[in-house]
Amino acid sequence: MRRETFDTVILGAGAAGMMCAIHAAARGGRVLIVDHAKAPGEKIRISGGGRCNFTNVGAGARNFISGNPHFAKSALGRYTPRHFIAMVEKHGIAYHEKTLGQLFCDRSARDIIAMLVGEMARAGCEMRLSTTLERVERNEAGFTVTLGGERAATVGCRHVVVACGGKSIPKMGATGLGYQIAKQFGLAVTETRPGLVPLTFGEDVLSGFREIAGVAADVRVSCGKAAFEEALLFTHRGLSGPAILQVSSYWRETQPIRIAFLPSADIAALLCVAKRENGRRSVQTALGELLPRRLVAHLAEKRGWSGTLAEASDRKLAEIAGLLRNWELYPAGTEGYRTAEVTLGGVDTASLDSRTMAAKAVPGLFFIGEVVDVTGWLGGYNFQWAWASGWAAGTAIAENAC
Ligand code: FDA
């Protein structure tokens, strides 16, 4: 088997790994990045509907879920969305803000991958794809990484960066390898579970809204103290859409979620005004001007909302509004890692240095990106964490600070 030497071996050519490689090699360090996939950045390619929501201009530690809510502050504060935007602009990649500070490529997510691959090549990093990781072992000089595949080799290095991502979408190459490496070196791994994932329901609930699959509405969805105002989508399996994906990261088994339709409107007041203006209109017609008609027809049938506005007392209208503002549902579960955008939990932040992402007890070993117990909201936050944590480890390696 071939023997080689590099300063740094990065495991995983995803968002965090590639960002780390660019910066770890910036001062001449020899960097090898390996991935078992045939192409780098596969999740970038499919992200944001193919346009990659590459950051969020408002990203801050409050947009992340972690056992230690302060952990992400250092990296996020030193490598901000402005830094990534500057790189995107330097490469002439056109982008736009879609909503809520979310930046997307105008053309294609492939532009972001090409930018990262180009920057890695410019910095002199070597990338090996279709390469499997057999073993990582510690020795006096650092580590020995054994690689399999066509170019099987043992690689001696001073730094190993684990950037293997989480468990979401196994079809795209997610393996959970990073957690195994953490455990091998004695680092704690917090409970992992699917996040940013559609919620599923038992037949009793599902039969109630299967016929409105495809209907979307603006809502506030809350679970415990977490609340998000975005769109909800009824599906054949349950509920999806940005508001549901957001709240799914906070939901735990047996908890209810609460849905408020038209969160910024006073529905009772609007119905009373409609009644005074034209009481001959049906309750359903008046509601249909506020909410998707299919949803209203469905709810009206289930709840027995019939008759005209004039026939309905103000109390009855307030009752209808109340139901629309506080619809409580008990999800049965989630669609799981098959469709989850992220993995919650991961390498315990207590084991890592928040400035460098280095394992405190294992000099030279780093964990970055989704494998760490830092998970962002939907909306470009997870890539910002990948860039920021990758940058933090990469610059620390380049400065030889670890
Ligand atoms: P990432 O998963 O990107 O990379 C890990 C790499 O390690 C992969 O290339 C994988 O092949 C490799 N690997 C894994 N196991 C290995 C093994 N055993 N041997 C060798 N290599 C191995 N976020 C966001 O901010 N904006 C968005 O628009 C989206 N959209 C989106 C859509 C979909 C469908 C998904 C699934 C996810 C998103 N995300 C997102 C989340 C985002 O993609 C995710 O948080 C980052 O890709 C995480 O970056 P990492 O580099 O940590 O892992």
Side-chain angles (χ1 to χ4, degrees):
M1 193 180 280
R2 265 184 335 146
R3 283 175 183 278
E4 297 174 274
T5 310
F6 282 85
D7 293 311
T8 304
V9 174
I10 302 174
L11 307 172
M18 288 197 278
M19 189 60 155
C20 181
I22 293 164
H23 291 279
R27 296 193 187 174
R30 290 196 64 221
V31 175
L32 172 67
I33 183 166
V34 298
D35 203 298
H36 64 169
K38 288 197 193 98
E42 280 293 86
K43 279 202 182 152
I44 300 175
R45 184 177 59 79
I46 60 158
S47 67
R51 293 246 165 96
C52 185
N53 177 194
F54 57 79
T55 193
N56 191 299
V57 291
R62 69 189 172 287
N63 310 113
F64 293 84
I65 302 166
S66 170
N68 175 1
H70 303 292
F71 180 82
K73 283 182 183 167
S74 174
L76 291 172
R78 288 179 300 133
Y79 190 89
T80 67
R82 282 253 55 97
H83 291 99
F84 194 77
I85 293 165
M87 175 154 63
V88 167
E89 287 177 352
K90 190 180 96 189
H91 283 258
I93 299 173
Y95 64 90
H96 60 280
E97 180 175 338
K98 201 167 172 189
T99 173
L100 303 169
Q102 302 167 6
L103 302 190
F104 286 75
C105 297
D106 282 0
R107 217 181 64 88
S108 165
R110 289 176 198 273
D111 291 344
I112 299 290
I113 302 173
M115 172 185 81
L116 295 167
V117 170
E119 289 272 348
M120 283 200 298
R122 203 160 302 119
C125 305
E126 183 170 338
M127 176 161 63
R128 283 187 206 158
L129 301 169
S130 305
T131 300
T132 55
L133 175 82
E134 308 282 323
R135 273 187 310 283
V136 184
E137 291 155 306
R138 191 131 177 71
N139 59 36
E140 301 92 63
F143 300 88
T144 304
V145 178
T146 308
L147 301 173
E150 275 174 30
R151 294 178 65 188
T154 56
V155 184
C157 58
R158 284 172 57 215
H159 311 111
V160 168
V161 182
V162 180
C164 305
K167 298 181 191 171
S168 43
I169 326 248
K171 234 171 49 187
M172 298 212 61
T175 57
L177 173 74
Y179 310 121
Q180 282 170 40
I181 298 175
K183 286 179 188 159
Q184 177 196 334
F185 285 97
L187 276 71
V189 175
T190 66
E191 179 207 2
T192 51
R193 59 197 173 88
L196 301 181
V197 62
L199 295 173
T200 56
F201 292 84
E203 189 52 35
D204 51 331
V205 181
L206 202 52
S207 59
F209 51 69
R210 197 174 269 129
E211 66 212 47
I212 48 170
V215 169
D218 287 335
V219 295
R220 180 194 303 116
V221 183
S222 55
C223 180
K225 287 185 184 150
F228 294 91
E229 283 190 22
E230 285 186 65
L232 167 149
L233 177 70
F234 292 90
T235 74
H236 288 286
R237 282 190 292 267
L239 295 177
S240 189
I244 291 294
L245 299 188
Q246 297 280 32
V247 97
S248 73
S249 294
Y250 291 86
W251 177 77
R252 304 303 294 240
E253 283 74 9
T254 73
Q255 268 186 309
I257 59 164
R258 288 197 173 76
I259 298 168
F261 292 99
L262 287 178
S264 46
D266 182 342
I267 300 176
L270 288 173
L271 287 176
C272 288
V273 168
K275 177 174 158 178
R276 312 246 181 289
E277 280 172 357
N278 182 358
R280 278 172 309 187
R281 269 186 309 164
S282 72
V283 172
Q284 239 193 82
T285 307
L287 280 172
E289 279 163 19
L290 303 173
L291 291 160
R293 289 207 176 86
R294 266 177 74 200
L295 171 67
V296 171
H298 172 78
L299 290 172
E301 192 201 317
K302 295 274 170 216
R303 305 273 178 183
W305 299 338
S306 56
T308 63
L309 285 165
E311 284 160 358
S313 64
D314 285 1
R315 212 168 122 208
K316 176 73 186 165
L317 295 179
E319 195 186 300
I320 292 172
L323 272 162
L324 290 169
R325 298 311 289 272
N326 193 12
W327 194 20
E328 188 179 80
L329 290 170
Y330 282 83
T334 73
E335 287 190 5
Y337 290 118
R338 190 179 58 80
T339 60
E341 285 201 9
V342 287
T343 303
L344 291 151
V347 178
D348 193 338
T349 56
S351 327
L352 304 176
D353 178 330
S354 64
R355 256 192 89 72
T356 62
M357 307 305 293
K360 289 176 185 165
V362 190
L365 182 64
F366 297 76
F367 291 84
I368 56 173
E370 196 177 320
V371 72
V372 178
D373 173 25
V374 173
T375 307
W377 291 355
L378 185 80
Y381 301 103
N382 285 295
F383 279 137
Q384 187 57 35
W385 170 245
W387 316 136
S389 58
W391 172 89
T395 49
I397 288 168
E399 287 162 9
N400 219 357
C402 310

